[in-house]
Amino acid sequence: MKQQKEMITMLLAGGQGSRLYVLTKEVAKPAVPFGGKYRIIDFPLSNCANSGIDTVGVLTQYRPLELNSYIGNGQPWDLDRMNGGVYILPPYATDKDSQWYKGTANAIYQNINFIDRYNPENVLILSGDHIYKMDYAKMLAFHKEKNADATIAVLDVSLEEASRFGIMNTNEDDSIYEFEEKPKHPKSTKASMGIYIFNWQKLRQYLIDDENTPGSANDFGKNIIPAMLANHEKMFAYRFDGYWKDVGTIESLWEANMDLLNPQSGLNLDSDGKIFARNEPHPPHYVGDKAEIAESIVSEGCDINGKLWYTVLFSGVTVEEGAELNSAVVMSNSVIHKGATVKYAIVAEDAVIEEGAVVGDDPCNSADPSEWGIAVVGRGAVVKKGQVVRPKEMIEPGANR
């Protein structure tokens, strides 16, 4: 058996991301690009690196090829280690059967042998679809100080928002006495962030018991945490007060990209805790004489001759003269031809917006707010000359309008 580690991480990255629609038709949600040069999974992996965690199991399932290739040996996140490192953990066949991960708890249960190899005192459970920066070492110190069996990170949300989250009701010492999933009448505003530290030996037994419980959803929020509370285990809420966003919807993904452009949002990727990524080298971007750029991010290799306002461009994007982009996210190697407009929209990689085409619109121009939303053009799609992609409309990957 290897030397005992104080804590290892299990990163749940197998979600289909169905609410991201055309953006996850071909890739797993954690592999979706973000912020000009990152992918969503860069955030938890970088947090682990910055927190001194050197062993991370990444549990993949849905369309894992691109995600697996991106993570590689973990070198960009300092996770290429002899004793530890990053491991891709897909579901695997046993002598009895072969099955997908049935739920978050079952995903960890299927990897008990992997965790046991490192004999950790504690296990950190993370989701692969959140944008935030966090020092897990501080959370571990809190967990040890409280001598907790489980510590759950919580974010203080508004009372109006609380009904959308799992809510932790706590005593004055932050010990948890009740967990409510999306309560209609919340008693507190401490929302679970889906970030857990468990005493491994304690969690190990609960996972085994849950797996042997007929009808269980095999889920941390629905089964493991309620079971531990029912048995009066020592469970504490760890308060987090930084930026955090679940980017599980088109709107929230777009909002998080826009937050990078807002100094007041709290999302600062240049401050303490660098976010690392695996990026292909590109030449510097080019800005033409007639280009106009305001409050935007322009990545390497872009060729800009049009107008940008409040826009995030990934590497290799071309914006021709006369094109206008406003509150847009345009992913790598897409081309916006002359006279085209892209507003309040997400354009995925390798897409082409032809001359004079219109993608999305300003919400101020919508008579019915319920009809407005972010327009999305899928990977490799072509929006033909003069065509209109309405707000909320989604163009499938590879489509040729």
Side-chain angles (χ1 to χ4, degrees):
M1 183 177 288
K2 296 186 179 182
Q3 181 180 3
Q4 184 179 40
K5 289 185 177 287
E6 185 172 42
M7 186 166 73
I8 70 169
T9 295
M10 299 296 277
L11 175 51
L12 299 164
Q16 184 172 347
S18 57
R19 291 180 299 161
L20 289 177
Y21 304 104
V22 299
L23 296 180
T24 49
K25 280 287 184 75
E26 298 176 345
V27 298
K29 180 163 57 170
V32 169
F34 176 80
K37 62 178 181 179
Y38 306 98
R39 295 183 188 240
I40 296 171
I41 200 166
D42 287 330
F43 287 79
L45 287 176
S46 297
N47 289 338
C48 286
N50 294 328
S51 303
I53 298 169
D54 64 7
T55 306
V56 180
V58 181
L59 285 67
T60 62
Q61 180 158 278
Y62 172 79
R63 293 198 177 274
L65 183 62
E66 190 165 329
L67 182 63
N68 295 356
S69 175
Y70 181 74
I71 293 172
N73 67 355
Q75 187 270 332
W77 307 275
D78 193 28
L79 288 170
D80 50 338
R81 304 295 184 94
M82 290 293 289
N83 180 21
V86 65
Y87 293 84
I88 304 297
L89 302 172
Y92 56 89
T94 66
D95 55 356
K96 295 180 181 178
D97 58 8
S98 175
Q99 61 183 8
W100 290 105
Y101 293 142
K102 295 182 291 184
T104 53
N106 174 259
I108 305 301
Y109 169 83
Q110 285 199 37
N111 288 285
I112 283 178
N113 289 342
F114 169 80
I115 299 172
D116 281 345
R117 285 175 59 192
Y118 295 98
N119 187 28
E121 295 176 44
N122 303 289
V123 173
L124 171 66
I125 311 289
L126 303 176
S127 295
D129 53 1
H130 299 152
I131 300 295
Y132 67 109
K133 292 165 73 171
M134 184 175 182
D135 186 349
Y136 304 130
K138 291 181 179 178
M139 183 174 172
L140 177 61
F142 174 88
H143 175 78
K144 291 163 65 177
E145 176 193 328
K146 297 293 188 180
N147 192 29
D149 297 312
T151 299
I152 299 170
V154 297
L155 187 72
D156 194 33
V157 298
S158 69
L159 196 59
E160 294 74 30
E161 288 182 294
S163 296
R164 295 174 32 227
F165 293 93
I167 296 296
M168 299 293 165
N169 298 323
T170 63
N171 299 307
E172 286 189 9
D173 65 348
D174 289 320
S175 59
I176 301 167
Y177 68 85
E178 185 181 33
F179 170 66
E180 295 183 288
E181 184 66 51
K182 298 181 180 177
K184 290 183 178 178
H185 305 288
K187 299 174 187 174
S188 88
T189 55
K190 297 185 182 75
S192 171
M193 298 168 65
I195 300 169
Y196 315 120
I197 294 178
F198 290 98
N199 171 281
W200 171 234
Q201 290 305 318
K202 186 79 71 169
L203 175 62
R204 191 181 190 280
Q205 190 57 53
Y206 275 94
L207 292 172
I208 293 169
D209 293 345
D210 179 67
E211 190 65 23
N212 293 321
T213 301
S216 173
N218 305 125
D219 183 83
F220 277 99
K222 294 175 182 175
N223 306 107
I224 301 297
I225 291 170
M228 293 185 77
L229 280 170
N231 288 336
H232 305 291
E233 304 288 4
K234 293 185 70 175
M235 306 179 72
F236 285 84
Y238 175 76
R239 300 172 189 242
F240 177 72
D241 62 0
Y243 181 97
W244 178 88
K245 189 179 281 285
D246 181 341
V247 287
T249 66
I250 291 294
E251 290 74 17
S252 61
L253 178 65
W254 174 83
E255 287 169 2
N257 275 278
M258 294 299 104
D259 284 343
L260 282 172
L261 306 173
N262 178 5
Q264 307 305 317
S265 71
L267 180 57
N268 184 347
L269 303 188
D270 296 323
S271 62
D272 293 341
K274 180 176 169 59
I275 302 301
F276 304 96
R278 182 187 297 279
N279 284 305
E280 300 280 334
H282 287 87
H285 62 256
Y286 170 78
V287 178
D289 293 341
K290 296 185 179 179
E292 296 180 27
I293 302 176
E295 299 183 73
S296 296
I297 291 173
V298 178
S299 300
E300 298 91 341
C302 289
D303 187 345
I304 312 300
N305 292 281
K307 297 180 181 180
L308 308 179
W309 188 77
Y310 230 66
T311 286
V312 176
L313 296 189
F314 286 70
S315 59
V317 170
T318 297
V319 180
E320 292 186 349
E321 185 177 334
E324 293 189 19
L325 285 74
N326 178 359
S327 304
V329 178
V330 183
M331 296 178 186
S332 297
N333 303 317
S334 290
V335 178
I336 316 298
H337 284 285
K338 63 182 180 180
T341 63
V342 181
K343 297 181 178 181
Y344 292 85
I346 298 175
V347 177
E349 307 100 307
D350 303 310
V352 177
I353 313 301
E354 291 191 348
E355 185 176 339
V358 175
V359 178
D361 198 5
D362 192 303
C364 297
N365 295 331
S366 177
D368 183 356
S370 67
E371 293 299 314
W372 183 85
I374 303 303
V376 184
V377 177
R379 176 188 284 190
V382 177
V383 179
K384 291 288 193 182
K385 182 177 181 179
Q387 292 291 310
V388 175
V389 180
R390 298 181 305 277
K392 259 190 183 177
E393 190 175 354
M394 299 195 185
I395 306 304
E396 293 284 327
N400 198 325
R401 283 284 295 262

